[in-house]
Amino acid sequence: MAVIDTPIGVPIEPLVHSPARRAGGAPASRPGFDADVAILGLGHVGLSTALACHAAGSRVIGIDVSPTRLEAIRTGDLDLATGDHERLGGALGDEGFEISGDVAALPRAAAVIVCVPTPVHAYRAPDLQMLRGACAAVVDRAVPGQLLMLTSTTYVGCTADLLLGPLVRRGLVPGRDINITFSAERIDPGQESVTQGSVPRVVGGATPECLERAADILSRYATDVRRVPSLGSAEMTKLLENTFRAVNIAGVNELAGVCRTLDIAVTDVVEAVATRRVAP
Ligand SMILES: NC(=O)c1ccc[n+]([C@@H]2O[C@H](COP(=O)([O-])OP(=O)(O)OC[C@H]3O[C@@H](n4cnc5c(N)ncnc54)[C@H](O)[C@@H]3O)[C@@H](O)[C@H]2O)c1
């Protein structure tokens, strides 16, 4: 097979392309790729992201390691927000929306968005096994010109450890050959009234070029994109948000116990305090 000469002298095998088309019949927006976005991990966040990208006109490849999940997506037998159910109905019949269990499809996409779970294990320490596996698959198959974005909730330094470092060791130069970014998913679970696209996205990149490319992709389906100066600041933003929420939930749970002792309905108190509005 012929090889492509890259600016860094690392020979890369050319991609085998199927006809480039965009959802609805238009071509993929970046030459050399036959899909705009690949989403790795089609769970609650990943599937929603895939549907939002497709609805915004991108050609999408969704990839998940779970055959059960893929089957549920194919049959529409899922717990989804109403809007996503409608989008899925339209996407499943469209040639610009593929789903697959095979990471071999990754190099076909101009952008790869990683949406795999980051649970805690039995001792309540973060279990990064799935994230490590997903990032290793992305690193092994990364091709020049791609944008890679981590969206899973994780520790500060994770994007550098699992993407930036290994890609640099592969000989790819960030901002020139490959774009490496972090933008956590911030949707608040269970809030049907707030759509994914209406939650501001905070994004950091390994270089200014990476950041701009990520902001461009995100702005196709998010109405508000906020750039921060580094991968670490984007990762820390998500940690502060989750910590703030967890501390508040814990505080209100404590107060609920006190209210119970005093025979006060905590919901009355919460509704009363919510009457205070900050002046615009
Ligand atoms: N669920 C939410 O409301 C929410 C909100 C904000 C942030 N997040 C964060 O988003 C991330 C994803 O969460 P989720 O709720 O979508 O998880 P999920 O458990 O709903 O789904 C994750 C999917 O990833 C798949 N998967 C696991 N390893 C894989 C791999 N190596 N390659 C491909 N697919 C793989 C699983 O089969 C599963 O279908 C987490 O880090 C979570 O903390 C979630």
Side-chain angles (χ1 to χ4, degrees):
M1 185 181 273
V3 292
I4 298 168
D5 251 351
T6 67
I8 50 165
V10 177
I12 308 276
E13 287 180 356
L15 303 175
V16 179
H17 298 296
S18 54
R21 294 200 166 276
R22 208 166 162 81
S29 55
R30 221 171 164 84
F33 296 98
D34 67 6
D36 297 299
V37 189
I39 312 285
L40 192 56
L42 292 176
H44 183 81
V45 166
L47 180 58
S48 230
T49 305
L51 294 172
C53 289
H54 178 260
S58 296
R59 286 188 67 93
V60 175
I61 306 172
I63 304 170
D64 200 290
V65 289
S66 162
T68 314
R69 181 70 181 170
L70 292 175
E71 184 56 20
I73 295 170
R74 284 192 185 104
T75 56
D77 183 16
L78 297 159
D79 179 19
L80 287 178
T82 318
D84 276 350
H85 258 304
E86 284 161 14
R87 283 178 169 179
L88 182 62
L92 286 173
D94 191 291
E95 59 156 315
F97 188 82
E98 275 176 58
I99 58 170
S100 167
D102 193 352
V103 289
L106 286 171
R108 291 172 44 212
V112 176
I113 302 182
V114 179
C115 300
V116 303
T118 41
V120 289
H121 60 47
Y123 300 103
R124 297 203 169 264
D127 180 354
L128 296 177
Q129 209 182 327
M130 284 183 273
L131 187 57
R132 286 206 178 96
C135 287
V138 170
V139 167
D140 287 350
R141 291 161 185 80
V143 293
Q146 273 185 325
L147 164 82
L148 310 178
M149 182 184 292
L150 210 56
T151 66
S152 303
T153 308
T154 190
Y155 67 92
V156 175
C158 182
T159 317
D161 288 349
L162 302 187
L163 292 181
L164 182 61
L167 286 161
V168 168
R169 285 194 286 281
R170 262 198 59 192
L172 295 165
V173 177
R176 189 183 70 184
D177 308 319
I178 197 97
N179 296 293
I180 303 155
T181 62
F182 181 86
S183 177
E185 176 56 54
R186 303 176 71 202
I187 189 85
D188 202 356
Q191 295 249 30
E192 270 268 354
S193 59
V194 181
T195 62
Q196 191 190 30
S198 66
V199 180
R201 292 299 293 246
V202 173
V203 59
T207 70
E209 295 78 12
C210 299
L211 181 60
E212 286 316 308
R213 175 106 182 263
D216 176 53
I217 298 262
L218 288 170
S219 61
R220 291 181 205 169
Y221 70 96
T223 48
D224 188 354
V225 178
R226 307 288 176 100
R227 296 161 177 82
V228 289
S230 66
L231 293 168
S233 6
E235 291 163 336
M236 186 60 100
T237 301
K238 177 65 180 172
L239 291 191
L240 174 58
E241 180 166 80
N242 278 19
T243 306
F244 186 81
R245 184 161 53 206
V247 167
N248 277 298
I249 291 169
V252 172
N253 280 338
E254 289 293 321
L255 197 82
V258 174
C259 284
R260 212 172 297 119
T261 310
L262 297 173
D263 202 19
I264 294 169
V266 70
T267 44
D268 289 345
V269 179
V270 170
E271 279 165 21
V273 82
T275 56
R276 187 184 163 88
R277 295 273 180 270
V278 178

